[in-house]
Amino acid sequence: MSNTGLSFPKKEHLTGEIRVKRLFTEGQSFLAYPLRVMFLPDEPREIPLLALFSVPKRRFKRANKRNLLKRRMREAFRLHKSSLTGVLSEKALTIDVAFTYVANEPIAFSVIERKMIEAL
């Protein structure tokens, strides 16, 4: 199973309270409805792109709905991240990015995927 380009391993997850807080305070954002994308260029490192996915509890009280939407966002990201990582690697840039689901209703994977491509 060597789908190197189509995986989303743990090392590509954006973690750490300090790094996440910095992204949300200093980062820039744009909207690709139903996704709000926050991003922050970072100092050079081995992995060009670290990502975080969030669905607010305020909008979706049930954890199963939040988990479903996060799975859909992660899958869309996993399938199409190579377009962005290629560009970042060529230019020796790194970026932290957070995808927040902002719609009030669950939306089909095809729509989320289309918007993820647009955002990337």
Side-chain angles (χ1 to χ4, degrees):
M1 211 173 132
S2 65
N3 291 343
T4 34
L6 291 181
S7 63
F8 183 51
K10 188 78 169 176
K11 66 182 180 185
E12 293 180 3
H13 292 223
L14 178 62
T15 57
E17 187 180 344
I18 294 167
R19 178 169 256 146
V20 172
K21 193 176 285 188
R22 208 174 107 231
L23 169 64
F24 281 99
T25 56
E26 299 173 22
Q28 301 169 309
S29 70
F30 62 90
L31 194 64
Y33 190 84
L35 305 174
R36 188 205 299 94
V37 183
M38 301 267 319
F39 63 96
L40 182 66
D42 203 7
E43 66 278 346
R45 60 176 178 255
E46 188 179 324
I47 301 155
L49 179 63
L50 295 179
L52 173 138
F53 301 90
S54 116
V55 178
K57 197 173 190 177
R58 177 181 288 165
R59 292 181 197 270
F60 297 95
K61 302 289 186 222
R62 304 290 304 258
N64 60 340
K65 283 278 172 33
R66 292 194 305 274
N67 292 338
L68 170 75
L69 293 167
K70 283 190 275 190
R71 276 197 310 272
R72 288 178 179 175
M73 289 191 299
R74 277 195 303 264
E75 181 66 5
F77 176 78
R78 181 185 73 79
L79 292 172
H80 302 287
K81 70 176 180 175
S82 57
S83 61
L84 182 58
T85 53
V87 172
L88 291 172
S89 296
E90 282 175 23
K91 298 182 177 182
L93 298 172
T94 59
I95 193 169
D96 294 343
V97 64
F99 297 94
T100 305
Y101 190 86
V102 295
N104 290 322
E105 300 290 320
I107 292 179
F109 174 74
S110 57
V111 176
I112 292 174
E113 184 177 28
R114 194 167 57 245
K115 292 303 185 168
M116 182 65 74
I117 292 168
E118 189 181 299
L120 292 174

